[in-house]
Amino acid sequence: RRVTRAYPILCGVSGAFMILIGLGMMFAFLGSLAPGSVGVFPFPLGPQGYYFVAFTGSCLVAWGGCLIGAARGHGARVIGTATAVGLVLGAFYRMLVWFMGDFAWLGDLPRVEAAVLLLLALAFVWLRPPASAAEPL
């Protein structure tokens, strides 16, 4: 099986989006520290909530960096597989949220997010290069 360019592109684009979203979450946390700030989210989080938003943002920046490294051929097979596992776990979490009555105000958003995450996970598995061609791309 020949290595396609679709896999590195998927890794690079996903990595760039994760870095942008992660930085946005970090800036949301910093904005919440300003005096009189009401936050950027349409629901109240409080200091502890924004702390976890910042933590998640920093993890997304690191994960995005790994995906950009995979797009350049450094550990592409392993990083892509780990990304697929993380996306499946994220989809599972969102489906649990969708079933919970406490989150009814989100409507079908968690279900749509879960579908997108599962499609991305499938792409990471489907487009993964064979073991013999994993290094370098």
Side-chain angles (χ1 to χ4, degrees):
R1 184 174 140 192
R2 210 178 117 231
V3 176
T4 66
R5 292 300 303 159
Y7 189 76
I9 291 169
L10 175 67
C11 288
V13 170
S14 298
F17 274 119
M18 286 184 177
I19 288 173
L20 289 174
I21 292 168
L23 289 174
M25 294 173 93
M26 296 293 295
F27 284 120
F29 167 73
L30 293 174
S32 74
L33 298 177
S37 172
V38 293
V40 297
F41 297 107
F43 42 85
L45 285 179
Q48 294 84 6
Y50 275 103
Y51 172 83
F52 284 105
V53 165
F55 178 79
T56 303
S58 63
C59 290
L60 283 175
V61 169
W63 190 0
C66 290
L67 283 171
I68 289 176
R72 299 182 65 204
H74 307 292
R77 189 170 166 84
V78 173
I79 293 169
T81 302
T83 297
V85 169
L87 291 169
V88 169
L89 290 173
F92 176 73
Y93 159 73
R94 280 161 175 80
M95 287 307 295
L96 287 178
V97 165
W98 183 68
F99 285 118
M100 305 272 304
D102 294 344
F103 297 95
W105 58 274
L106 286 173
D108 285 335
L109 181 64
R111 190 169 64 174
V112 171
E113 289 176 339
V116 169
L117 292 178
L118 289 173
L119 286 173
L120 275 173
L122 181 63
F124 273 101
V125 172
W126 189 277
L127 297 172
R128 183 177 57 189
S132 62
E135 299 291 338
L137 283 178

